[in-house]
Amino acid sequence: MKKSISRKIIGLILAASFSSCMLPTGIAAMETVDIQTYDVAAIAEAADIICGDFTISGEGLAADTDYKFESSVLTILSGKDITIKNTNSGSTSNRIEVAGGVSANITLAGVNISSSGAAFKIADNSTGNVTITLADGTDNFLTSGNNCAGLQKNGGISSGNLTINGNTGKLTATGGSHGAGIGGTGSGSGSNITINGGMIIAAGGGGNEGGAGIGGGGQNGNGGGGLNIIINGGNITATGAGGAGIGSGYVGGSSSVTINGGTVIANGGAGAAGIGGGRNAGESQSGTTNTIVINGGTVTAKGGNSSWGNGAGIGSGGVRDNYNNITIKGGTVTAFGGNGAAGIGSSSNTGGGTIGITGGSVTASGGNGADSIGGRNSSGEIDGNAVIHANGSIGENIEKENGIVFEDGQGTVYGDVVLDGDLTIGEGESLTIPEGASLTNNGTITNNGTINNNGAFTDNGSITGDGNITGNAPIEDSDDDPTDDPKDEDDPVTVPEGGTVQFGDDIEMEFPQGGIMYPDGTITADEVVVGDVVVKGEDVTVDTDGNITVPNGGTVRNGNDEKIVPKGTVVDKDGNTNAPVTIDRYPGYTKDILLSVTSEDDLLNDEDMKKLKNDHNALAKEVYDITLLYNSETEVQPDSAITVTIKAPDGVDGTKAKVFRMETDQSFTDMNAKYDSSTNTLSFVTEHLSVYIIAEELTVSDESDGSPSTPDDSENKPSAPDDSENNPSIPDDSDNKPSTPDDSESTPSVPSTPSGIGGAPGIAPAGASVPETITVKVENKVIGETKKVRAVRDGENITVDLGKENNGYYANIYTSNGDFITSVLIEKGKAKFTLSSGVKFSIVIDSFAYGDDVSAEAGIYSDRDIVEDAVPVIGIMVPIAVSLTIFLKNKKSVK
């Protein structure tokens, strides 16, 4: 309600209302304000009130009812909301107190108190519930004097509660000698303290015989405990001085601490526990017990050292007996014991009690050979789904029922564990799932060490890191996906980027880009590394023997030597490939370019082979159409000179092998290929890819003049024709014995056969009326053998037994002058043909007919037609047992 009153009355009201506190100077200037437009109550509510070095504010605050300021002490008298800050920068010796029985609601918005008494005091043993809120973005300092706590909440379990709230607001509370940072006086307990948030630094005072960071005071002989301390959130660092970081003071009694959340760092003072008992806890009270429960949060606790004894990280202080009931159900907990003290459990000299760990991730380190978990007179169990990293031993009375337990880096899964959080397996560490145990991962496992699975491992989350996966059992996914490969009963598992997998006893492969592992043990990836060998390609597959298949083509690098390989290439662990053709990786190469190698029967026809033989004295053995394809479909040429390497075909003498490129005008260019006997390969440099022929150079006969030698076997020497009768002589008739083949009068001279055509001539006697056996020398170009065989002449019909092993090849018949006569197909091991009487001839067996006069169809025979030995292909020998899987297209033209 608005009132029109005189300025004089307002002045009297204001003077009476603020007694020892004053409105700020700005309010005194009201002489210039038209008061008729304002409520008096509104003016009071809007005004800051200065009380000594403090400025306070709040709705409807009344002096001596809600607060008072006397003798440099601001005392809170009611539960009205009040905000307090320093009026000026710097610290003040003015103090704050909350009267006994008052449930106050106080916001600290920038106080800085340094006092010889208690900087902020809740009346001893007050039953009031005090809530302190730390204003966002403000720094608040409470520094107290001898035997006082920084934020003093002195009293037993029957006293009221102190609750601290906040987000980004900060509080630093430092106790004086023997006092806690937050909690009891030198001889008192700090009880019923709850922290929900804020950034809090609490330090006990008193050197080696002082208070807890949060909890009891520590005066010698009269110290206090830290009871019913609850932390739900915030960022808290608590450091004791002879007392625990959180818990009892130096000679305090029992402690009870519950942590549900937040980030907590608790450092024990000299000889005290990080969380639990002070150094001499138990001296003033017998039967002292530390009850510690951790349900969540990130907790780091470190025990302190002293010459009298050393504290556990979580548990007992170092000198006097105090027992423990420790329960860890969740959170991330790290505990370091002092020298000779457990990380979690008993101190170096005292302790005992029970330890139960049923959840969370726990890392514990005992000091100087002490148990990581356990210690003197401690017992308990690890159960549930806890993950324990013990940097040292676990006490013999701590049973491992269920959970993941690492002892000195070697982890074991006990029972059936469900991992909902994250797990890191460090470098040099291992995790073994023994037979009968199981691990179900619903979180993230970072594996930088080794997972050895001999039990059941189900991954519903993710596995990352660059570690190994070994063992006799696969990693499975419980979610059965019907779209998976039918051979897979379960979903595949992701191999993480940089992950490594062990194949057998000696093959370790790395997958820099990750991959997919199937329950049958095979892995698909785009990059595989084994030692110095790097294989890249789309959907590279590794089988359980460590063989790497590049189904769509890619590259293989062995040390500094990197090759482009065609699709279907198989690579072993040493980098050896079965690729018939490879290309050295060149500067313009990208992963979008694939090497296509086609070996088909119609790439070279009979005329081409004749031309190659006539022009280059070489016989074609294998033909490849070599192409580079961009995005698997567009033919491209290299942008610089490249090195092509081709494996020498089976049965070809590499020292006589040559490589020719077929040009667009059907001519052939010798590529001057170099033969490497260690790899049995031919290499050449080119800037243009096309059809390439691997050929074997023809050689002349053994004679220096290039002529075949005459038979020297007198028993099998063929007869020469009778000049007068034009009939063959009887071989054993001495009177009519024909002259030998080198008789110039009775036989023509024997000129050299064509280059590469060997064998002594056979002679078809003239006018023979009965079958007669003659001897013929045959050169087999297929297997590289020359021998004598028997031929049967019946008139002009000749039958030569060449052996069933030559079925399907061609017998090429030549005169002794090297003129081609005819070609016949060898069937049932025999070659049958006709010759005019008296013609001298020799036979060359080859995989193709040199001419067109073939008594059977000179075509291509597939493995459906020929069932034994090898398949004859024009110019190409292809064993039936070999499967040519590298076909992209049927192509007859050349580039």
Side-chain angles (χ1 to χ4, degrees):
M1 180 176 62
K2 295 183 179 180
K3 297 179 180 180
S4 179
I5 57 176
S6 71
R7 295 184 181 89
K8 180 177 180 180
I9 294 174
I10 292 176
L12 291 173
I13 292 172
L14 293 177
S17 300
F18 298 112
S19 61
S20 60
C21 299
M22 299 181 295
L23 284 170
T25 305
I27 298 298
M30 291 181 63
E31 292 289 339
T32 62
V33 177
D34 184 1
I35 303 302
Q36 292 185 358
T37 61
Y38 293 92
D39 283 334
V40 173
I43 295 171
E45 290 168 10
D48 287 340
I49 303 169
I50 297 175
C51 297
D53 291 337
F54 300 122
T55 299
I56 64 174
S57 61
E59 182 178 353
L61 294 177
D64 298 324
T65 300
D66 302 313
Y67 67 91
K68 68 177 180 179
F69 185 79
E70 295 178 351
S71 303
S72 301
V73 177
L74 173 63
T75 302
I76 309 303
L77 302 174
S78 75
K80 283 187 178 180
D81 293 342
I82 185 169
T83 299
I84 306 173
K85 62 183 179 180
N86 277 28
T87 302
N88 302 307
S89 61
S91 65
T92 178
S93 60
N94 292 177
R95 301 184 296 108
I96 301 172
E97 292 187 1
V98 178
V102 173
S103 293
N105 293 290
I106 301 169
T107 297
L108 298 182
V111 300
N112 187 347
I113 302 172
S114 180
S115 173
S116 59
F120 190 121
K121 177 183 177 181
I122 300 170
D124 292 350
N125 299 307
S126 172
T127 57
N129 299 319
V130 176
T131 298
I132 295 176
T133 300
L134 306 174
D136 284 347
T138 64
D139 284 335
N140 300 278
F141 299 91
L142 303 175
T143 305
S144 297
N146 189 35
N147 283 326
C148 295
L151 172 51
Q152 187 165 298
K153 201 297 185 171
N154 195 55
I157 196 69
S158 60
S159 63
N161 299 310
L162 166 63
T163 302
I164 302 175
N165 299 322
N167 292 307
T168 62
K170 183 176 180 181
L171 170 63
T172 301
T174 306
S177 179
H178 308 302
I182 300 174
T185 63
S187 58
S189 295
S191 304
N192 304 333
I193 300 170
T194 299
I195 300 175
N196 294 320
M199 303 171 65
I200 297 172
I201 299 174
N208 294 335
E209 299 179 357
I214 301 173
Q219 187 174 19
N220 194 5
N222 298 296
L227 298 173
N228 195 29
I229 299 171
I230 300 172
I231 298 175
N232 296 317
N235 192 322
I236 298 146
T237 300
T239 303
I246 303 174
S248 302
Y250 165 60
V251 288
S254 298
S255 66
S256 58
V257 179
T258 300
I259 300 175
N260 298 315
T263 299
V264 179
I265 299 173
N267 300 309
I275 301 174
R279 188 176 86 196
N280 273 6
E283 178 179 312
S284 61
Q285 301 178 34
S286 61
T288 298
T289 300
N290 303 307
T291 300
I292 301 164
V293 178
I294 300 176
N295 296 314
T298 300
V299 180
T300 302
K302 183 176 181 180
N305 295 316
S306 75
S307 57
W308 300 278
N310 309 298
I314 300 173
S316 304
V319 177
R320 303 290 179 177
D321 279 340
N322 50 119
Y323 297 92
N324 305 302
N325 292 318
I326 301 171
T327 302
I328 299 176
K329 298 180 180 179
T332 300
V333 180
T334 304
F336 302 92
N339 291 335
I344 300 173
S346 300
S347 68
S348 57
N349 298 320
T350 69
T354 63
I355 302 169
I357 303 176
T358 60
S361 176
V362 179
T363 301
S365 302
N368 286 352
D371 289 340
S372 295
I373 301 173
R376 179 174 176 265
N377 298 326
S378 294
S379 62
E381 66 179 10
I382 297 169
D383 203 351
N385 295 308
V387 178
I388 313 294
H389 283 82
N391 297 321
S393 61
I394 293 177
E396 60 182 9
N397 294 321
I398 307 295
E399 300 294 332
K400 303 167 188 138
E401 298 291 337
N402 206 88
I404 299 173
V405 180
F406 289 84
E407 295 183 71
D408 286 329
Q410 307 307 305
T412 303
V413 175
Y414 293 91
D416 301 313
V417 178
V418 177
L419 181 67
D420 290 321
D422 297 338
L423 170 65
T424 297
I425 303 170
E427 185 176 355
E429 293 185 335
S430 68
L431 175 63
T432 297
I433 307 169
E435 187 175 356
S438 70
L439 173 62
T440 300
N441 174 40
N442 295 329
T444 297
I445 297 177
T446 302
N447 175 28
N448 295 320
T450 300
I451 296 175
N452 182 28
N453 179 31
N454 295 315
F457 187 1
T458 301
D459 178 43
N460 297 326
S462 63
I463 303 174
T464 63
D466 56 2
N468 301 323
I469 300 174
T470 65
N472 299 320
I475 302 175
E476 300 180 352
D477 192 313
S478 62
D479 179 21
D480 187 20
D481 185 349
T483 64
D484 286 345
D485 190 323
K487 71 178 180 178
D488 300 326
E489 181 180 350
D490 301 288
D491 288 341
V493 174
T494 299
V495 177
E497 291 185 8
T500 61
V501 178
Q502 191 81 23
F503 291 86
D505 296 330
D506 60 347
I507 306 175
E508 179 180 294
M509 291 188 178
E510 179 184 356
F511 297 86
Q513 301 179 44
I516 300 294
M517 175 183 284
Y518 295 91
D520 65 357
T522 60
I523 298 177
T524 358
D526 290 339
E527 182 176 2
V528 181
V529 178
V530 51
D532 292 332
V533 178
V534 180
V535 182
K536 293 183 180 181
E538 183 181 354
D539 292 335
V540 172
T541 301
V542 184
D543 65 21
T544 52
D545 294 325
N547 296 315
I548 307 166
T549 302
V550 193
N552 300 303
T555 61
V556 176
R557 178 163 57 84
N558 194 348
N560 295 322
D561 181 22
E562 187 168 10
K563 303 282 189 183
I564 306 169
V565 299
K567 68 177 183 178
T569 297
V570 178
V571 187
D572 67 16
K573 63 183 179 64
D574 298 317
N576 301 313
T577 78
N578 69 342
V581 177
T582 62
I583 294 176
D584 285 5
R585 193 180 193 281
Y586 58 93
Y589 172 79
T590 71
K591 67 178 183 178
D592 297 321
I593 296 177
L594 299 178
L595 171 61
S596 166
V597 178
T598 304
S599 179
E600 299 180 10
D601 51 33
D602 59 352
L603 293 174
L604 204 65
N605 59 35
D606 290 349
E607 291 300 321
D608 294 331
M609 288 185 287
K610 285 181 182 179
K611 183 173 179 60
L612 180 65
K613 174 180 174 294
N614 293 332
D615 294 350
H616 297 278
N617 195 35
L619 300 179
K621 296 296 183 179
E622 188 70 274
V623 184
Y624 290 117
D625 184 1
I626 304 174
T627 307
L628 292 177
L629 297 176
Y630 180 72
N631 286 337
S632 301
E633 56 184 25
T634 305
E635 291 188 13
V636 294
Q637 291 292 342
D639 59 1
S640 59
I642 60 173
T643 299
V644 180
T645 301
I646 300 178
K647 287 190 175 181
D650 292 340
V652 172
D653 183 350
T655 61
K656 299 179 181 179
K658 299 176 78 67
V659 177
F660 297 91
R661 182 173 66 212
M662 190 173 185
E663 308 296 354
T664 55
D665 61 358
Q666 308 305 114
S667 65
F668 299 94
T669 300
D670 188 343
M671 303 306 298
N672 297 313
K674 295 181 180 179
Y675 177 65
D676 184 343
S677 60
S678 64
T679 58
N680 193 34
T681 57
L682 298 154
S683 297
F684 58 91
V685 176
T686 183
E687 294 183 353
H688 183 81
L689 295 176
S690 181
V691 172
Y692 288 86
I693 299 97
I694 301 89
E696 190 171 21
E697 190 175 17
L698 295 172
T699 58
V700 297
S701 65
D702 297 337
E703 296 295 330
S704 60
D705 63 357
S707 300
S709 59
T710 55
D712 56 4
D713 186 345
S714 60
E715 295 182 357
N716 297 314
K717 183 182 293 183
S719 302
D722 189 312
D723 292 340
S724 61
E725 298 291 333
N726 198 28
N727 285 319
S729 302
I730 304 301
D732 58 359
D733 186 345
S734 59
D735 293 337
N736 298 310
K737 186 173 183 179
S739 57
T740 60
D742 58 0
D743 185 346
S744 60
E745 294 182 358
S746 60
T747 60
S749 61
V750 183
S752 61
T753 58
S755 177
I757 307 301
I763 301 175
S769 59
V770 295
E772 183 177 3
T773 299
I774 59 176
T775 300
V776 179
K777 196 171 185 179
V778 176
E779 181 180 4
N780 192 327
K781 300 294 286 185
V782 176
I783 62 175
E785 175 184 88
T786 300
K787 65 179 181 179
K788 296 176 181 179
V789 300
R790 294 295 181 92
V792 176
R793 175 194 60 78
D794 185 2
E796 292 186 348
N797 298 318
I798 309 293
T799 301
V800 186
D801 190 349
L802 298 173
K804 290 185 177 181
E805 66 274 12
N806 291 311
N807 279 348
Y809 295 127
Y810 294 93
N812 294 286
I813 318 300
Y814 288 85
T815 68
S816 57
N817 292 325
D819 294 330
F820 175 77
I821 300 174
T822 188
S823 288
V824 294
L825 186 68
I826 301 171
E827 298 180 292
K828 297 182 180 180
K830 294 180 173 57
K832 297 180 180 181
F833 51 93
T834 60
L835 284 181
S836 300
S837 300
V839 175
K840 300 178 182 180
F841 67 92
S842 61
I843 297 176
V844 175
I845 300 174
D846 214 326
S847 57
F848 59 89
Y850 289 117
D852 298 325
D853 300 327
V854 179
S855 59
E857 181 184 357
I860 305 304
Y861 292 79
S862 71
D863 54 5
R864 294 189 301 270
D865 304 314
I866 306 297
V867 297
E868 57 183 35
D869 299 323
V871 181
V873 180
I874 295 179
I876 310 171
M877 277 307 301
V878 183
I880 292 172
V882 175
S883 174
L884 290 183
T885 59
I886 309 175
F887 285 86
L888 286 181
K889 57 188 178 180
N890 197 356
K891 184 173 181 180
K892 205 163 186 177
S893 62
V894 295
K895 298 179 286 293

